[in-house]
Amino acid sequence: MPDITLTTVVLLCVAALAAGWIDAVVGGGGLLLLPALLLGLPAGTPAAHALGTNKAVAIVGTTGAAVTYARKAPVDVRTAVRIGLAALAGSSGGAFLAAGMSTEVLKPVIMVVLLAVAAFVILRPAFGAAPAPGPATRRQILAAIGLAGLGIGFYDGLIGPGTGTFLVLALTALLHLDLVTASATAKIVNCCTNAGALAMFAWQGAVLWQLGALMAVFNLAGGMLGARTALKRGSGFVRVVLLTVVFALVANMAYEQWVG
């Protein structure tokens, strides 16, 4: 455990709880959890330790949310795992390239895409309100593996923020899922990408296991609560949270790009 005050530990645990809830509902919990770790850890702590501990915490909450969803939502686990394995490969490629290129030039493009997505969701109230009447076709599944898996997985390795939110949107559009089922499927995909990233950080010795284990308990509680909330409140509620997270993500990227 790093040398941090009890107050800071409590605040980090509260952040982990809130991040777990947000991530389970619509993705984007890392927008809260990672900055909290970067601010809470002692000065001089390598950034990799914050990133590694973030993954150790997030994978627990994501797994809890995925299990909660799988018990009550009509999730096609086989398809979700196939997309997740593709995302794992994509994130590895993105992480490999990230070391040799600047992602700053990509952030304005991502912001424009997010704003366009928000406009689409606002103008199309029926988006994600109800699932398609039949099962996904082979072509739709292959498109989801390629775009939601490899494509968003690559983005996760290259840049990262908002990956869960992008997955929810892509799965809703490609597989014609309702937003609740898309959130459930995204959690299984996130488990795969988080596992790969955590394994790499652990191999590098960049995980603060004691702090991570404590925060993971709160993240798990938040994740399971968020999944239950989404299941109970339905796609309309998820839609509101989705738009809130999208605008928060745009604001965060804009701040880092032009202010921070």
Side-chain angles (χ1 to χ4, degrees):
M1 179 79 75
D3 185 18
I4 56 179
T5 66
L6 178 60
T7 300
T8 301
V9 171
V10 171
L11 291 174
L12 287 173
C13 288
V14 171
L17 178 71
W21 188 90
I22 293 169
D23 204 57
V25 175
V26 75
L31 291 172
L32 175 60
L33 186 57
L34 183 56
L37 280 165
L38 290 170
L39 290 172
L41 292 176
T45 302
H49 285 68
L51 293 168
T53 306
N54 172 61
K55 288 299 182 185
V57 174
I59 194 172
V60 176
T62 299
T63 302
V67 171
T68 302
Y69 273 124
R71 288 176 175 173
K72 297 184 179 181
V75 183
D76 186 341
V77 176
R78 183 169 177 269
T79 297
V81 170
R82 290 163 70 185
I83 296 171
L85 292 175
L88 177 59
S91 64
S92 299
F96 178 78
L97 291 179
M101 69 176 293
S102 172
T103 60
E104 296 304 312
V105 295
L106 296 177
K107 288 184 178 179
V109 177
I110 299 300
M111 283 186 275
V112 171
V113 171
L114 281 169
L115 288 173
V117 165
F120 176 82
V121 173
I122 291 171
L123 295 173
R124 294 284 298 274
F127 178 75
T137 65
R138 177 180 175 83
R139 181 176 295 179
Q140 288 173 329
I141 292 173
L142 289 175
I145 291 173
L147 296 177
L150 286 171
I152 295 177
F154 181 83
Y155 168 81
D156 189 24
L158 189 66
I159 302 178
T163 296
T165 305
F166 278 126
L167 279 172
V168 171
L169 291 165
L171 292 170
T172 301
L174 294 170
L175 299 180
H176 302 296
L177 304 175
D178 63 89
L179 286 171
V180 172
T181 306
S183 291
T185 306
K187 292 307 105 190
I188 297 175
V189 177
N190 271 158
C191 285
C192 295
T193 56
N194 283 341
L198 178 59
M200 180 60 68
F201 283 120
W203 179 71
Q204 295 173 342
V207 180
L208 302 172
W209 291 109
Q210 289 179 303
L211 178 62
L214 180 60
M215 293 175 65
V217 173
F218 289 85
N219 194 250
L220 174 63
M224 295 177 71
L225 178 62
R228 290 193 178 99
T229 302
L231 288 165
K232 181 178 180 180
R233 301 290 294 274
S235 293
F237 173 76
V238 175
R239 184 172 178 271
V240 172
V241 178
L242 172 65
L243 289 171
T244 302
V245 171
V246 166
F247 286 121
L249 180 57
V250 171
N252 178 72
M253 284 188 166
Y255 179 83
E256 290 183 350
Q257 182 76 13
W258 293 297
V259 180

